[in-house]
Amino acid sequence: LFVLRLCRPYVQSLTRPHLVPETFLRVLAKAKDHGIRCVSLARRDYRGSTPFSETELDQLRGSHDAVHRTFLRERGLEIARLLIVMIDTLSLPPLDEERRGGLSLMAWSFGNITMFAFAHFFPTYPQDIQDRLKKYLKALVVYGARISFLVCRS
């Protein structure tokens, strides 16, 4: 079993399962038996992934909520665009009437923040991206998130 690991936006390389975080080994062991294709995505600035630019790091270091929202929106939009590349590259089938096909997005630990940003800002993304992904998105799976990830300030 191979896993497609998309480490840098729009750059693909096949890796062996022993490079996948141990957390997902049980999922991978069951996936093939159930006709599920697993894709391991390393979030930005994680080991082996595209580092944040100085401008992006400055956004994180700042204290303005509007700047933080912009940063998170951009990370979610990266995920949206990457999902479209994956749909095209892997020829994924859209959801059918019986909810077969499509894709589910699962995040683990700190990666949940990026997935939450993707979900929260989804209605603000370009309409073509929204329309395309609505045909494919089946579920968002939250794994290993701290409850503090779910607390929002107003």
Side-chain angles (χ1 to χ4, degrees), residues 38-49:
C38 290
V39 178
S40 173
L41 169 66
R43 66 175 166 77
R44 288 277 310 277
D45 216 47
Y46 191 74
R47 176 185 57 227
S49 187

Side-chain angles (χ1 to χ4, degrees), residues 1-60:
L1 174 67
F2 286 88
V3 175
L4 182 66
R5 183 178 175 110
L6 300 162
C7 295
R8 302 181 194 281
Y10 316 114
V11 176
Q12 304 170 21
S13 62
L14 286 175
T15 60
R16 303 239 183 250
H18 67 277
L19 299 178
V20 174
E22 188 174 330
T23 304
F24 296 111
L25 291 179
R26 287 182 290 175
V27 172
L28 292 176
K30 301 280 185 191
K32 188 175 181 183
D33 295 339
H34 296 279
I36 297 171
R37 181 183 344 207
C38 290
V39 178
S40 173
L41 169 66
R43 66 175 166 77
R44 288 277 310 277
D45 216 47
Y46 191 74
R47 176 185 57 227
S49 187
T50 304
F52 290 132
S53 68
E54 276 305 311
T55 301
E56 291 165 332
L57 291 173
D58 287 344
Q59 289 176 313
L60 283 175

